[in-house]
Amino acid sequence: MRTGLGAVAVALTFCLAVLVERRWPLRRWTVAPARALARIGQNVTLGALGTLASASVDFVVARELAVWAESQGLGLVRWLMLPEPLRVVVLVAALDYSLWWWHKLNHTVPLLWRFHLVHHIDRDLDVSTGLRFHVGELASTLALRVVQVTLFGVDPLTLGAWQSLTTVSVLFHHSNLRLPAALDAALTRLVVTPRMHGVHHSDVPAETTSNYGSLLTVWDRLHGTLTLDVPQERITIGVREYPDAGDMSVGQLLALPVEAPRKQA
């Protein structure tokens, strides 16, 4: 039942964002209208393939591992003997913080970056980009899930709720939705917004290596990687070495990790 509610929340977030980001765009669209629908279809296709990989990781391995860890009493958070509401809050924070580190590793470890690159070379940034992840990248999160579940002692219900919450957040902050400046500033005190994450998708390396957060902004504040002072109209989305990314097929994108990385001209 909870899994079903999470799926509904994700689907509604995607559909709503598709509608409103076209009405109130934050950044100028760069992909030609004739290619826009094909690009969204490409991203949705990659998302569907990634969902299959995520299903094997999250719904088979990770959740069974969480059941086992709970039965064995494993996990640092469980050993703290916290009241139930506080325990859930601490677990969500721990999960989000470990995901922050995983995201940073995807940018700093060359092998991981080869897979994550597929996400970043998108020439526009909208809600469909939140689905655009290489199947290999999502499958590799099994290592992260094993560490998260066994180290923190995540129960299945909290794991499922956090996954749904994070997915909704990812779709939201990848959207091209222009929020009122005051609302955006208020939200950014706690959660990642489209304006904040747009900086992370800039083709300027110093900006790409900032704003790693997936849900909470506190980790970027803590590590000094929060960047908010970049005007959206100055941002060029993508990776400079891949100006032709819009012409790549799904097959070419899937094969990208085995190709030699391009060097900046």
Side-chain angles (χ1 to χ4, degrees):
M1 181 64 177
R2 288 176 182 266
T3 300
L5 289 175
V8 170
V10 169
L12 287 177
T13 300
F14 180 82
C15 293
L16 182 61
V18 168
L19 294 175
V20 298
E21 68 183 356
R22 291 286 166 178
R23 178 66 179 82
W24 295 289
L26 173 62
R27 293 168 297 272
R28 180 176 58 85
W29 302 98
T30 60
V31 175
R35 283 280 307 159
L37 189 59
R39 171 188 157 273
I40 292 174
Q42 184 181 67
N43 288 351
V44 170
T45 299
L46 288 170
L49 294 173
T51 297
L52 295 176
S54 296
S56 63
V57 172
D58 292 329
F59 295 103
V60 179
V61 179
R63 297 198 182 192
E64 287 302 314
L65 181 62
V67 171
W68 175 79
E70 187 175 37
S71 69
Q72 300 298 311
L74 298 179
L76 297 176
V77 177
R78 185 172 288 112
W79 296 341
L80 294 176
M81 303 295 289
L82 299 171
E84 184 62 18
L86 181 57
R87 183 186 69 84
V88 172
V89 170
V90 172
L91 278 174
V92 168
L95 288 165
D96 192 54
Y97 187 40
S98 57
L99 184 58
W100 185 93
W101 276 105
W102 179 255
H103 189 183
K104 185 173 182 178
L105 286 175
N106 273 270
H107 279 262
T108 55
V109 176
L111 178 59
L112 295 178
W113 171 244
R114 287 192 177 204
F115 289 93
H116 193 53
L117 179 64
V118 172
H119 177 65
H120 271 269
I121 62 176
D122 201 358
R123 301 305 298 173
D124 262 330
L125 181 64
D126 62 16
V127 66
S128 75
T129 313
L131 302 174
R132 180 191 172 106
F133 292 95
H134 194 284
V135 61
E137 177 180 350
L138 294 178
S140 71
T141 59
L142 175 59
L144 173 65
R145 292 290 183 270
V146 169
V147 172
Q148 288 175 317
V149 170
T150 55
L151 179 62
F152 302 135
V154 186
D155 62 276
L157 290 180
T158 301
L159 178 64
W162 171 75
Q163 288 169 331
S164 297
L165 182 62
T166 300
T167 303
V168 167
S169 175
V170 167
L171 292 177
F172 166 66
H173 66 240
H174 279 92
S175 73
N176 194 21
L177 172 62
R178 185 180 77 248
L179 298 172
L183 176 59
D184 186 276
L187 287 176
T188 306
R189 293 180 182 275
L190 180 62
V191 297
V192 181
T193 66
R195 189 179 300 274
M196 173 182 168
H197 198 70
V199 177
H200 178 71
H201 276 263
S202 165
D203 69 352
V204 177
E207 295 169 3
T208 306
T209 53
S210 70
N211 300 353
Y212 291 113
S214 295
L215 176 60
L216 303 174
T217 59
V218 61
W219 317 124
D220 282 303
R221 295 180 190 278
L222 179 66
H223 290 282
T225 52
L226 182 68
T227 301
L228 301 175
D229 58 351
V230 181
Q232 294 295 304
E233 61 272 14
R234 205 210 71 188
I235 295 174
T236 299
I237 301 297
V239 177
R240 291 176 180 175
E241 292 83 356
Y242 292 84
D244 60 341
D247 298 323
M248 291 184 178
S249 66
V250 170
Q252 289 174 310
L253 291 171
L254 291 175
L256 192 61
V258 301
E259 298 178 1
R262 298 180 187 177
K263 303 295 183 181
Q264 187 171 347

